[in-house]
Amino acid sequence: MSAAGKRHLALIHTLPCVICLNRYGKRKRAEEAHHLEAYRGEHSDFATVPLCHDCHTHLHTIHRRAFFLAHKLDDVTMLSWVIRLLMEAR
């Protein structure tokens, strides 16, 4: 992992869970960084979203597609929430 990737993940861990915040209006501490699906090659540490343990476990338990459908999500929406939170934190 690069130094820049480590810094980015450290920032991700300071943010609230994007699902709880944007779907349920709850500001819950994000304990985990979820790597979004890589379409080619390795996962990128820059394509991560902050999730609480419950949301992250649920995502992997029912699988990505079912989780995204249940919460009306897609990768771009989740990344846009992360970018907005990072900009607000500056």
Side-chain angles (χ1 to χ4, degrees):
M1 177 185 313
S2 70
K6 286 180 184 179
R7 285 192 308 272
H8 180 73
L9 284 176
L11 282 173
I12 290 295
H13 285 286
T14 68
L15 301 174
C17 173
V18 293
I19 305 299
C20 289
L21 181 64
N22 291 286
R23 285 297 183 244
Y24 304 108
K26 298 178 184 175
R27 196 168 187 90
K28 189 173 179 183
R29 183 177 173 269
E31 301 144 319
E32 302 169 14
H34 173 68
H35 287 81
L36 297 174
E37 293 291 320
Y39 296 102
R40 296 186 187 110
E42 298 179 14
H43 293 288
S44 169
D45 290 326
F46 295 98
T48 55
V49 296
L51 297 178
C52 65
H53 179 75
D54 292 341
C55 286
H56 201 209
T57 300
H58 189 227
L59 185 152
H60 287 289
T61 300
I62 69 168
H63 302 291
R64 180 181 176 274
R65 180 167 167 71
F67 183 85
F68 276 33
L69 286 171
H71 296 283
K72 298 178 181 154
L73 295 172
D74 58 61
D75 290 342
V76 173
T77 298
M78 291 190 3
L79 278 176
S80 71
W81 291 341
V82 173
I83 293 166
R84 187 188 72 224
L85 287 168
L86 288 170
M87 293 294 101
E88 289 171 356
R90 292 180 98 187

